[in-house]
Amino acid sequence: MIIHSHNFPILETERLRLRNITHEDAENILHYLSDEDVMKYYGLEPFRSLNDALDEIAWYQTLLNNKTGIRWGITLKEQAVIIGSCGFHNIVSQHFRGEVGFELSKEMWGKGIAFEAVEAIINYGFVHMNFQRIEALIEPPNLSSQKLVKKLGFMKEGLLRNYEFTRGKFYDLFMYSLLKQDNDKT
């Protein structure tokens, strides 16, 4: 189900509500983005202060304002607490594509929540954002994210060598993609 609130689409699944992230969510974002395990493949150092979380929220808003992305906060339907986020960035509208990203609080790992959230936004991306292609760039050691995107039907296209420079070094990334016609939900 999709509900529009202040021009932001709120998505609901069986267990989850995906909503806009606001400054009031900074404490919760700091909680999980200060966790070394959550940040292992995020491309940033673990957050140390509320200002780090507020900067992240400002980045989400910039994506939306510039129409280069959208980021949803993941909540359990019965709670308002943000337990992770997912969304699209690097949207290139003239090529009908965007890159998916997601992370989840460690306490929520292994419960199918990330799968449920990412499945919802992928369907939204194909149906409402007119994507033809959704990409996922994943570090080779990040096996859980690779497993998740494969389960959603993404295909591994190859290795992008030294593609990203973060945390003081270069990282290789696998390129995965899902095309509109590959997604049987649209």
Side-chain angles (χ1 to χ4, degrees):
M1 182 166 77
I2 302 167
I3 305 160
H4 284 274
S5 173
H6 305 301
N7 295 324
F8 190 93
I10 298 169
L11 309 181
E12 289 191 349
T13 67
E14 186 180 330
R15 298 180 293 169
L16 307 175
R17 177 172 289 120
L18 309 180
R19 64 167 175 82
N20 196 14
I21 299 169
T22 68
H23 288 90
E24 290 78 37
D25 298 311
E27 293 272 353
N28 295 321
I29 288 173
L30 176 60
H31 167 72
Y32 65 81
L33 292 183
S34 63
D35 186 315
E36 181 69 45
D37 291 334
V38 173
M39 296 300 278
K40 190 171 187 177
Y41 304 114
Y42 197 76
L44 296 173
E45 294 292 334
F47 287 10
R48 291 187 172 79
S49 71
L50 206 53
N51 279 338
D52 290 339
L54 290 168
D55 288 346
E56 187 77 357
I57 293 167
W59 178 64
Y60 300 157
Q61 193 58 51
T62 299
L63 289 174
L64 195 60
N65 293 344
N66 294 339
K67 296 182 176 21
T68 57
I70 183 172
R71 196 77 174 194
W72 286 270
I74 303 169
T75 67
L76 298 174
K77 270 187 177 174
E78 65 274 7
Q79 301 171 354
V81 177
I82 297 280
I83 56 173
S85 79
C86 59
F88 299 109
H89 55 279
N90 295 331
I91 291 176
V92 184
S93 55
Q94 77 253 33
H95 296 300
F96 302 91
R97 73 171 182 250
E99 183 183 327
V100 70
F102 51 89
E103 83 287 326
L104 196 60
S105 175
K106 191 162 50 178
E107 299 85 31
M108 297 293 152
W109 289 3
K111 299 178 180 182
I113 290 170
F115 178 88
E116 192 172 323
V118 174
E119 182 179 46
I121 69 165
I122 283 171
N123 292 330
Y124 184 86
F126 285 130
V127 174
H128 298 280
M129 298 176 75
N130 202 27
F131 288 147
Q132 169 59 28
R133 173 186 171 90
I134 296 174
E135 299 172 343
L137 298 175
I138 303 171
E139 289 181 33
N142 188 348
L143 300 177
S144 60
S145 289
Q146 290 181 62
K147 183 178 168 187
L148 186 147
V149 298
K150 285 179 191 171
K151 189 174 172 185
L152 286 164
F154 282 71
M155 292 178 52
K156 186 192 287 185
E157 294 184 334
L159 180 69
L160 303 171
R161 300 179 311 139
N162 282 201
Y163 192 75
E164 193 171 74
F165 185 81
T166 59
R167 297 176 87 170
K169 65 182 244 185
F170 289 99
Y171 288 89
D172 296 341
L173 296 173
F174 282 132
M175 170 65 81
Y176 284 86
S177 72
L178 182 66
L179 303 182
K180 189 177 223 165
Q181 61 267 32
D182 300 334
N183 188 35
D184 58 8
K185 312 250 183 336
T186 57

